[in-house]
């Protein structure tokens, strides 16, 4: 009898993980500059934004299950940034649209079945539906503001309209409206928190500062708002990572004023060249600027104890310099080991990866569909691709982890197969990816010694 009771207690302690005090359940987290999977590997998220009609009724684009599979299987990407809208979640004050979240959930299931991770982005451009924008429901600002507003082009100049500015001020300044925004997020987390494919939440796309001083808007206004969002979301989905964007002033070159981010945060800025965003195309001499800006973003992330993930980058295929532009983005992200999400997976004559017929735009897809490290048993990850020789290089500081290093190797990059050089590590080839056993360091010394892996035709 006594032996059985002791055995039972031992079993309970083992299964609840509460015996040792410091052996928590393995889980997703942010540590040593990277998102970490439960095995402790650095995770690089490379993928696309699912957008377009996500911004307006009916809030979903043409994407079907086959599109999710194409992103994973044909293009080798491992993730999507999925746009949702506050106006769709809470179309009327205090009225929540469960059917909308059911439709979102259906697509999360498609992503999950395809093997894609999902970051849920509460998108907005130009405040909301009362303007030539999207995001906030109409009822969140005064109708007189919408009536007085005069739309302009290009779209982002609408941010400077005094009526748009007043609505932002109204949102940030109202405890009631902030409460609605937070509650909308809580409901999203309650509905989607059960899907393992959802890695985390991006509280607000490209937040605008209204009439507040840019210099401390993030620290003074966004940080407390997002801390409340994080608390509400994690009450429902405790494991979700927080993908925190700087204000859109970061796209204009202003350094972030964030001092702290929530626990397990991924710093989630965007990477655009201003002239290219303005429609002027990309000049090759800007390559160094794109790479330097990504390095600066990495330093900001490091200062905040966060991982770095570029939630958006992209360009118009028909514009001059598009290949050089996308090359610079890949190279800059690889140099700091960041993940990045192309803007966007759509069919159009603009940023879309597909033309109106649904065919791939080669200027874009060629520069996007490349090998990259999905999971790395180590720290200080960098990666690079040389188009001229089709050589992929991964460097990292190896560290024991509960699983292999995994590289995504889209088949189209090596039609005749590829060689792996990793100092004799175990190589296990799968479709579109390769797994590597422990890779021994070959450069440097001590705990900072670096390992290198190369793929060649
Ligand atoms: O590419 C999008 C364009 O078609 C829309 O008119 C515009 C306003 O909704 O948004 C563009 O997408 C932007 C995204 O919402 C925020 N970051 C920059 C994107 C490209 O300009």
């Amino acid at each position: 009898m006594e032996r059985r009771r002791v055995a039972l207690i031992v079993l309970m302690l083992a299964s609840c993980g509460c015996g040792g005090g410091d052996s928590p359940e393995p889980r997703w987290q942010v540590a040593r500059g990277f998102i970490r999977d439960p095995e402790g590997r650095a995770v690089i998220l490379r993928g696309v934004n699912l957008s377009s009609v996500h911004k307006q009724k009916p809030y979903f684009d043409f994407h079907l299950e086959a599109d999710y599979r194409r992103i994973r299987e044909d293009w080798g990407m491992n993730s999507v940034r999925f746009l949702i809208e506050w106006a769709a979640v809470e179309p009327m004050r205090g009225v929540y649209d469960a059917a909308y979240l059911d439709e979102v959930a259906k697509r999360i299931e498609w992503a999950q079945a395809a093997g894609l991770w999902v970051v849920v982005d509460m998108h907005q451009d130009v405040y909301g539906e009362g303007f030539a924008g999207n995001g906030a429901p109409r009822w969140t600002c005064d109708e007189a503001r919408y009536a007085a507003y005069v739309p302009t082009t290009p779209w982002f100049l609408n941010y400077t309209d005094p009526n748009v500015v007043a609505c932002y001020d109204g949102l940030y300044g109202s405890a009631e409206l902030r409460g609605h925004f937070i509650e909308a997020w809580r409901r999203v987390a309650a509905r989607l928190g059960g899907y393992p494919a959802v890695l985390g939440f991006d509280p607000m796309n490209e937040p605008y500062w209204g009439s507040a001083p840019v210099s401390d808007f993030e620290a003074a206004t966004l940080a407390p708002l997002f801390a409340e969002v994080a608390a509400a979301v994690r009450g429902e989905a405790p494991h979700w990572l927080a993908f925190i964007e700087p204000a859109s002033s970061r796209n204009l070159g202003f350094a972030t004023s964030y001092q702290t981010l929530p626990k397990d945060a991924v710093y989630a800025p965007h990477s655009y060249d201003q002239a290219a965003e303005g429609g002027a195309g990309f000049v090759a001499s800007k390559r160094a600027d794109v790479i330097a800006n990504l390095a600066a973003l990495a330093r900001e992330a490091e200062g905040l104890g966060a991982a770095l993930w570029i939630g958006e980058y992209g360009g118009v295929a028909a514009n001059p310099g598009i290949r050089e532009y996308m090359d610079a983005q890949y190279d800059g992200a690889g140099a700091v080991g960041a993940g990045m999400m192309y803007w966007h997976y759509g069919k159009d004559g603009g940023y879309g990866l597909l033309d109106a017929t649904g065919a791939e735009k080669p200027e874009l897809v060629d520069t996007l569909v490349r090998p990259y490290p999905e999971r790395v048993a180590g720290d200080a990850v960098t990666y690079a691709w040389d188009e001229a020789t089709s050589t992929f290089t991964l460097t990292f500081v190896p560290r024991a982890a509960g699983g292999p290093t995994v590289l995504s190797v889209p088949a189209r990059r090596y039609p005749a197969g590829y060689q792996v050089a990793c100092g004799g590590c175990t190589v296990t080839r799968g479709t579109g990816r390769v797994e590597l056993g422990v890779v021994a360091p070959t450069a440097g010394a001590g705990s900072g010694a670096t390992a290198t892996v190369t793929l060649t035709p």
Side-chain angles (χ1 to χ4, degrees), residues 127-202:
Y127 186 75
E129 296 199 342
F131 301 111
N134 62 89
R138 198 172 173 107
W139 56 264
T140 58
C141 198
D142 193 338
E143 280 295 326
R145 291 296 179 187
Y146 305 139
Y149 157 74
V150 182
T152 186
T153 54
W155 67 271
F156 45 81
L157 290 184
N158 289 289
Y159 275 110
T160 59
D161 183 288
N163 299 290
V164 174
V165 169
C167 289
Y168 280 107
D169 289 350
L171 167 61
Y172 300 133
S174 159
E176 194 233 335
L177 288 177
R178 288 198 312 272
H180 277 276
F181 182 70
I182 293 161
E183 174 62 10
W185 256 122
R186 190 192 66 74
R187 287 176 183 252
V188 170
R191 181 65 183 85
L192 304 179
Y195 292 110
V198 182
L199 269 193
F201 63 103
D202 179 340

Side-chain angles (χ1 to χ4, degrees), residues 68 80 106-118 197:
Y68 290 83
V80 294
K106 186 163 96 184
R107 287 158 179 82
I108 302 295
E109 285 172 21
W110 293 347
Q112 191 161 289
L116 292 166
W117 302 108
V118 181

Side-chain angles (χ1 to χ4, degrees), residues 32 35-43 375-379 396-406 436-439:
R32 302 185 310 283
I35 297 172
R36 300 283 169 177
D37 70 8
E39 288 74 38
R41 292 172 291 186
V43 177
R375 313 218 187 188
V376 180
D379 299 333
F396 64 108
V397 174
R399 188 180 175 108
T405 290
V406 182
L436 310 174
V438 175
V439 187

Side-chain angles (χ1 to χ4, degrees), residues 51 55-56 83 123-125 132-134 155-156 205-206 251 270 272 277 312 343-344 351:
S51 171
K55 293 180 180 181
Q56 290 97 21
L83 274 70
H123 206 81
Q124 70 86 38
D125 297 304
N134 62 89
W155 67 271
F156 45 81
N205 178 67
E206 295 182 353
N251 290 347
H270 298 170
Y272 287 106
E277 268 285 89
E312 290 183 20
W343 181 269
H344 66 118
Y351 289 78

